[in-house]
């Protein structure tokens, strides 16, 4: 192995070495730029814009642009970019993904590449994982951008805000947000740099392609984007497409009827559950039982597709989807819980009637089903950008997916200071109850020393269960369930205080930097926590994705700080129960280990990692299939949207003639289609199916255009 490394360098190290001369050139300008007045520094933006307009590339002006941003940040918010941050900025500008560890300052790194690409005046977008971070980062980077004559805006909850130093929000307590004033959606997109979540940008794109006149259009196009927490946005959330829908007429009676009927069925008798695929299947006995209860001879012929559809959705809602794991019921409403983030997804609903089936199961109001008006996958939306890049603390494990779906390379950026965190071996327990007892005892033991502890759980349900165990032990703690981003970010920023115990779903407050001693700690307070061993991160369960586990570990050991991490695992955890090896379970049973006594075994740890890799591969396949299916729709979508835009640009007097022409062509297509296929008694081959599908899709697009 040593010989291999001698002849074949680490590719990440090679990238860093290649960029180092650029970093040296930026550093060489530091003294010169520090002597510039604010006015002279601001003039740099116009000078750089003129150079780009005259034919210079962004690479030609990169050194000067980065030096300009670095100096502006130093003057306004007292942040001066490290060399590794400059390296990361170059990687982002190149249209790649940068893996940069937690606490290394990704928020400020993004400002370098955003400024550089904003010089082209086509818009530079920063995509974040929640509204709070979009607003915070806009306000945080606003002062430096304003000094340079760059406008900064953000999109949150169907609102738009723009950084304006002359405006002050007297009701805003966070000093980073006091200068954000309301503006129109169009004004926000006209700004040089725009922050927002993936759904804000994606839904605006769909709405822009449903407008009746060009003045309603808000976006300028998809030019350059940096995706913060790129793994969360482009992978975790990519299985759920963005959909604009409208209510359809649908009776709630059938959902309620089957919700009462399904609990009468028995698992492994009337139906089977495939937990790996999260699917249910009715058995022959189950179908017979259903038909007897309904008084039908054959549900498929007498009830039809609609009846079978309601039955299948009711069965899934009853057997697969669990309260406080997959969803919560709040104020008479069923809210989906994101399986990766643990957050409640306001406004999101399961499709195909599943959400209505869950509502009927929980006895809340069954809302109308919806019909899709416009839809696009996360993957296809972001693949429209001329240049796309991303950053996160954990990307290497998903490098294959980033390359295959988005054509994005991953570069691991070295840390500013070496990581000294101790990653302790997993502790494995035979039962879940034994594991939680041990976790509560361990937390109490560490808490008594004063060392701060961050505990990560994979769901709200497990969060509250652990909280009950800690209450029994008399340990005071903060409980975060990813319900209020701003409030939780504030609490999490204090998780490094002496004696703090913070229990959170794995992704609660993501994007928040945990400093030892607290966000406003003195040097003495910070040193005291370092002497205690730094932040101790305790994971109560392995997530099905190694990346999420690594994110939790990465909360500790920022900027060379001491720290430790350890995971506690039960053989009853879903990951081990569904995907783990039976040999592991049998071995533990033979050993007769007490439920609250741990085992640290390399064989079991390897088994866990293999299980995670299998789940990751399965999830990748799901997302890949989603992209493949949407690619067919995407081709039609692009044709319709481009033709629709051409029609909107036409003078009004020409539109009638254009519609008439399209209708005449459509009539000819219909006649040809009938001639080609009416005589076929059956489809002869796959080629026939493919040709027929393409003809119908093209004809359908023609018909849709005439409705503009």
């Amino acid at each position: 192995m040593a010989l291999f490394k001698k002849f074949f360098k680490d590719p990440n190290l090679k990238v860093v070495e290649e960029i180092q001369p650029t970093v040296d050139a930026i550093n060489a300008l530091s003294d010169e730029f520090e002597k510039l007045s604010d006015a002279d520094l601001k003039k740099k933006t116009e000078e750089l814009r003129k150079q780009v307009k005259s034919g210079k590339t962004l690479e030609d002006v990169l050194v000067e642009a980065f030096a300009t941003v670095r100096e502006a940040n130093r003057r306004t918010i007292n942040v001066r970019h490290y060399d590794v941050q400059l390296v990361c900025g170059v990687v982002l500008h190149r249209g790649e993904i940068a893996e940069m560890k937690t606490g290394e300052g990704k928020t400020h790194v993004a400002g370098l590449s955003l400024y550089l690409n904003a010089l082209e005046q086509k818009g530079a977008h920063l995509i974040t994982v929640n509204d709070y971070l979009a607003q915070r980062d806009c306000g945080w980077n606003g002062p430096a951008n304003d000094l340079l004559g760059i406008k900064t805006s953000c999109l949150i909850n169907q609102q738009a805000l723009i950084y304006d130093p002359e405006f002050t929000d007297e009701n805003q307590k966070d000093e980073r947000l006091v200068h954000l004033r309301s503006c129109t959606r169009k004004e926000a997109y006209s700004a040089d740099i725009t922050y927002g979540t993936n759904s804000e940008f994606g839904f605006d794109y769909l709405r822009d392609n449903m407008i009746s006149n060009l003045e309603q259009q808000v976006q300028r196009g998809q030019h350059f984007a940096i995706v913060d927490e790129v793994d969360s946005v482009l992978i975790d959330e990519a299985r759920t497409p963005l959909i604009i829908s409208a209510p359809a007429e649908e009776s709630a009676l059938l959902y309620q009827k089957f919700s009462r009927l399904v609990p009468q069925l028995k698992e492994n008798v009337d139906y089977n559950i495939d937990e790996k695929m999260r699917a249910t299947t009715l058995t022959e006995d189950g179908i017979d039982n259903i038909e007897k209860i309904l008084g039908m001879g054959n549900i498929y012929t007498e009830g039809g597709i609609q009846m079978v559809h309601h039955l299948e959705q009711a069965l899934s809602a009853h057997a697969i989807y669990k309260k406080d794991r997959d969803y919560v019921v709040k104020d008479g409403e069923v809210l989906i819980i994101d399986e990766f983030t643990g957050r409640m997804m306001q406004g999101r609903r399961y499709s195909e009637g599943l959400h209505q089936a869950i509502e009927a199961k929980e006895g809340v109001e069954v809302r109308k089903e919806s019909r899709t008006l416009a839809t696009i996958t996360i993957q296809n939306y972001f693949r429209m950008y001329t240049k796309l890049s991303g950053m996160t603390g954990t990307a290497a494990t998903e490098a294959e997916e980033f390359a295959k779906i988005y054509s994005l390379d991953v570069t691991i950026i070295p840390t500013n200071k070496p990581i000294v965190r101790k990653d302790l071996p997993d502790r494995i327990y035979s039962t879940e109850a034994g594991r939680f007892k041990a976790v509560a005892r361990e937390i109490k033991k560490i808490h008594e020393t004063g060392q701060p502890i961050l505990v990560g759980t994979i769901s709200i349900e497990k969060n509250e269960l652990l909280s009950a165990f800690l209450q029994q032990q008399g340990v005071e703690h903060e409980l975060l369930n990813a319900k209020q981003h701003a409030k939780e970010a504030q609490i999490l920023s204090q998780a490094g205080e002496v004696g703090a115990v913070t229990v959170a779903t794995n992704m609660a407050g993501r994007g928040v930097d945990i400093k030892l001693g607290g966000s406003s700690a003195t040097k003495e307070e910070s040193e005291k926590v370092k002497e205690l061993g730094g932040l101790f991160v305790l994971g109560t369960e392995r997530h099905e994705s190694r990346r999420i586990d690594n994110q939790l570990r990465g909360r500790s050991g920022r900027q060379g700080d001491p720290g430790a991490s350890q995971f506690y695992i039960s053989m009853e955890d879903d990951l081990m129960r569904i995907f783990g090896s039976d040999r592991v379970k049998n071995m533990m049973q033979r050993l007769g280990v007490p439920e609250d006594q741990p085992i640290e075994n390399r064989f079991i740890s390897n088994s866990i990692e293999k299980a995670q890799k299998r789940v990751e591969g399965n999830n990748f396949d799901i997302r890949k299939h989603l992209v493949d299916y949407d690619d067919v729709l995407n081709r039609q979508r692009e044709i319709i949207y481009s033709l629709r835009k051409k029609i909107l640009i036409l003078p009004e007097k020409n539109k009638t003639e254009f519609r008439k022409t399209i209708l005449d062509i459509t009539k000819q297509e219909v006649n040809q289609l009938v001639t080609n296929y009416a005589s076929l008694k059956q489809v002869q081959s796959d080629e026939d199916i493919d040709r027929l599908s393409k003809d119908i899709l093209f004809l359908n697009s023609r018909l849709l255009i005439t409705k503009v």
Side-chain angles (χ1 to χ4, degrees):
M1 183 61 72
L3 186 64
F4 181 86
K5 288 182 178 178
K6 182 178 179 180
F7 289 102
F8 298 95
K9 273 190 172 183
D10 179 350
N12 295 290
L13 184 60
K14 187 177 179 181
V15 171
V16 173
E17 289 177 348
E18 179 191 329
I19 296 173
Q20 190 58 47
T22 302
V23 173
D24 294 339
I26 297 167
N27 288 334
L29 294 175
S30 292
D31 292 341
E32 177 188 336
F33 276 55
E34 284 183 16
K35 296 174 184 176
L36 294 175
S37 66
D38 286 357
D40 288 336
L41 194 63
K42 188 172 186 176
K43 285 179 184 177
K44 285 290 180 183
T45 300
E46 270 313 308
E47 291 173 10
L48 293 169
R49 279 175 175 165
K50 287 178 182 177
Q51 291 181 45
V52 172
K53 283 181 181 178
S54 65
K56 282 194 174 183
T57 66
L58 294 182
E59 286 70 26
D60 293 334
V61 301
L62 184 149
V63 170
E64 199 169 352
F66 275 30
T68 303
V69 178
R70 177 195 252 186
E71 179 59 23
N73 274 268
R74 187 189 68 81
R75 294 186 188 189
T76 54
I77 56 176
N78 196 30
V79 169
R80 188 178 187 277
H81 297 89
Y82 307 129
D83 284 4
V84 292
Q85 290 176 317
L86 298 176
V87 170
C88 186
V90 174
V91 169
L92 294 177
H93 165 65
R94 289 178 173 181
E96 299 176 11
I97 290 175
E99 177 175 299
M100 199 174 198
K101 301 303 180 188
T102 300
E104 293 292 306
K106 291 188 287 292
T107 301
H108 300 300
V109 168
L112 296 164
S113 305
L114 288 170
Y115 173 80
L116 175 62
N117 284 270
L119 294 174
E120 293 184 314
Q121 296 182 285
K122 297 178 182 178
H125 299 164
L126 191 290
I127 288 78
T128 64
V129 292
N130 62 56
D131 291 329
Y132 165 72
L133 291 178
Q135 191 174 1
R136 184 203 71 178
D137 293 354
C138 174
W140 212 346
N141 290 297
N145 290 335
D146 182 70
L147 175 62
L148 298 175
I150 294 289
K151 290 185 178 180
T152 314
S153 65
C154 64
L155 310 166
I156 56 166
N157 287 327
Q158 294 301 306
Q159 297 178 338
L161 302 169
I162 194 163
Y163 181 83
D164 183 352
E166 296 182 3
F167 169 82
T168 302
D169 185 349
E170 301 292 348
N171 299 319
Q172 185 57 254
K173 295 179 181 179
D174 190 333
E175 61 180 16
R176 294 168 297 189
L177 311 181
V178 295
H179 297 304
L180 296 180
R181 66 167 172 82
S182 296
C183 66
T184 64
R185 207 82 173 165
K186 198 161 190 172
E187 187 181 357
Y189 278 108
S190 296
D192 298 288
I193 297 171
T194 306
Y195 289 79
T197 63
N198 60 292
S199 58
E200 294 290 327
F201 286 104
F203 283 129
D204 280 338
Y205 166 76
L206 293 176
R207 282 189 286 266
D208 272 357
N209 285 285
M210 297 171 67
I211 57 175
S212 56
N213 66 73
L214 286 176
E215 290 186 3
Q216 296 172 322
Q217 184 173 310
V218 296
Q219 288 190 341
R220 289 193 282 167
Q222 289 72 39
H223 176 57
F224 173 71
I226 298 175
V227 184
D228 191 10
E229 309 295 4
V230 64
D231 52 326
S232 179
V233 175
L234 297 190
I235 291 181
D236 296 341
E237 297 189 25
R239 282 196 286 181
T240 307
L242 301 175
I243 299 172
I244 291 179
S245 58
E249 294 301 322
E250 181 69 33
S251 171
L253 296 177
L254 279 174
Y255 289 110
Q256 294 164 343
K257 178 178 181 178
F258 279 101
S259 180
R260 292 190 295 269
L261 182 154
V262 162
Q264 300 177 45
L265 303 179
K266 296 180 180 179
E267 185 182 350
N268 298 326
V269 177
D270 296 310
Y271 64 90
N272 296 314
I273 299 177
D274 185 338
E275 291 192 86
K276 292 183 182 180
M277 300 303 297
R278 298 203 77 188
T280 56
T281 308
L282 281 165
T283 64
E284 291 291 334
D285 289 341
I287 294 170
D288 291 341
N289 198 0
I290 289 288
E291 290 170 345
K292 287 177 184 177
I293 296 172
L294 294 173
M296 288 183 172
N298 187 318
I299 188 172
Y300 292 94
T301 57
E302 295 179 32
I305 293 296
Q306 185 184 31
M307 188 76 78
V308 174
H309 169 74
H310 280 80
L311 170 60
E312 290 175 344
Q313 296 296 56
L315 184 58
S316 291
H318 171 74
I320 299 292
Y321 291 84
K322 304 298 182 185
K323 184 178 178 181
D324 290 333
R325 185 191 71 183
D326 301 298
Y327 63 89
V328 294
V329 178
K330 183 180 179 184
D331 300 327
E333 184 179 358
V334 172
L335 299 175
I336 299 173
I337 298 174
D338 188 291
E339 64 179 299
F340 290 98
T341 66
R343 300 186 185 107
M344 291 188 294
M345 302 169 74
Q346 295 283 353
R348 293 281 188 95
R349 291 175 66 82
Y350 294 116
S351 59
E352 306 295 333
L354 176 59
H355 211 96
Q356 285 79 4
I358 295 173
E359 287 171 333
K361 166 190 169 184
E362 295 297 337
V364 301
E365 178 188 356
V366 178
R367 303 188 179 188
K368 291 181 179 179
E369 276 197 69
S370 57
R371 58 188 179 91
T372 300
L373 300 180
T375 179
I376 191 169
T377 59
I378 296 291
Q379 294 99 322
N380 271 325
Y381 174 72
F382 282 106
R383 289 197 296 185
M384 288 192 298
Y385 277 88
T386 305
K387 183 165 65 177
L388 179 67
S389 60
M391 54 187 185
T392 181
T394 47
T397 57
E398 312 295 343
E400 181 186 1
E401 182 164 351
F402 285 127
K404 286 186 175 179
I405 294 183
Y406 302 100
S407 299
L408 290 172
D409 292 328
V410 175
T411 298
I412 300 174
I413 309 297
T415 55
N416 184 48
K417 295 180 180 179
I419 295 176
V420 296
R421 181 188 65 239
K422 296 177 182 177
D423 294 328
L424 304 172
D426 296 346
R427 287 187 176 179
I428 300 108
Y429 298 81
S430 58
T431 68
E432 182 178 70
R435 184 259 311 280
F436 275 118
K437 288 176 185 175
V439 167
R441 286 201 305 268
E442 183 69 13
I443 291 173
K444 183 178 182 179
K445 178 182 174 183
I446 297 171
H447 175 59
E448 288 173 349
T449 69
Q451 184 178 8
I453 311 165
L454 174 64
V455 187
T457 66
I458 68 166
S459 69
I460 293 175
E461 178 186 18
K462 298 294 173 65
N463 227 23
E464 293 172 348
L465 179 61
L466 177 59
S467 179
F469 275 97
L470 289 177
Q471 287 172 7
Q472 290 176 5
Q473 292 285 342
V475 177
E476 291 187 11
H477 57 282
E478 292 282 358
L479 186 66
L480 308 182
N481 286 331
K483 295 178 180 179
Q484 296 175 301
H485 300 312
K487 182 180 177 183
E488 294 193 353
Q490 183 180 0
I491 294 172
L492 202 62
S493 67
Q494 305 304 323
E497 290 183 348
V498 174
V501 177
T502 311
V503 182
T505 50
N506 283 351
M507 300 284 284
R510 186 169 180 183
V512 178
D513 189 15
I514 302 175
K515 296 181 180 179
L516 298 187
S519 59
S520 56
T522 62
K523 186 176 180 180
E524 291 74 18
E525 290 170 332
S526 179
E527 285 300 321
K528 183 176 181 181
V529 177
K530 287 181 181 180
E531 291 171 6
L532 292 169
L535 180 67
F536 192 105
V537 168
L538 192 155
T540 61
E541 190 169 340
R542 281 284 193 176
H543 196 277
E544 62 180 33
S545 169
R546 290 169 295 164
R547 180 170 42 81
I548 307 298
D549 290 341
N550 291 338
Q551 287 165 7
L552 182 60
R553 282 194 195 277
R555 296 287 198 170
S556 175
R558 60 174 293 282
Q559 289 294 329
D561 288 340
S565 71
Q566 189 165 36
F567 283 87
Y568 284 61
I569 297 163
S570 154
M571 294 309 297
E572 294 179 347
D573 293 343
D574 287 345
L575 180 68
M576 297 307 299
R577 185 173 52 81
I578 301 171
F579 296 94
S581 168
D582 289 333
R583 286 188 300 163
V584 177
K585 299 174 186 177
N586 295 335
M587 182 183 74
M588 292 198 74
Q589 288 174 355
R590 286 198 305 271
L591 291 172
V593 180
E595 67 170 8
D596 59 349
Q597 181 177 324
I599 289 179
E600 293 178 8
N601 184 284
R602 183 176 295 178
F603 171 74
I604 298 178
S605 297
N606 290 340
S607 177
I608 293 167
E609 187 168 345
K610 286 178 182 176
Q612 288 177 313
K613 287 180 179 178
R614 291 213 299 273
V615 181
E616 288 166 2
N618 185 51
N619 289 339
F620 175 35
D621 289 341
I622 292 171
R623 291 186 291 267
K624 186 70 171 64
H625 288 317
L626 177 64
V627 174
D628 291 341
Y629 289 131
D630 192 60
D631 280 344
V632 177
L633 293 173
N634 200 48
R635 286 193 289 272
Q636 184 184 11
R637 184 189 298 120
E638 288 172 351
I639 293 169
I640 294 172
Y641 286 177
S642 63
L643 289 173
R644 199 174 187 280
K645 192 170 183 179
K646 288 179 182 177
I647 297 170
L648 290 173
I649 295 171
L650 283 172
E652 191 60 39
K653 63 180 181 180
N654 295 341
K655 289 185 181 178
T656 303
E657 294 179 14
F658 190 88
R659 289 193 182 96
K660 184 177 182 300
T661 301
I662 293 293
L663 279 171
D664 289 341
I665 295 172
T666 302
K667 287 176 183 176
Q668 294 174 24
E669 294 287 342
V670 170
N671 291 333
Q672 188 63 48
L673 196 63
V674 171
T675 302
N676 289 344
Y677 297 104
S679 60
L680 287 177
K681 293 182 180 179
Q682 61 182 7
V683 178
Q684 300 294 328
S685 65
D686 290 342
E687 287 75 17
D688 287 339
I689 295 173
D690 187 52
R691 190 167 66 256
L692 178 59
S693 299
K694 287 178 180 176
D695 286 347
I696 292 173
L697 280 173
F698 185 70
L699 178 61
N700 187 34
S701 66
R702 288 270 180 81
L703 290 168
L704 284 171
I705 291 166
T706 65
K707 295 180 181 179
V708 176

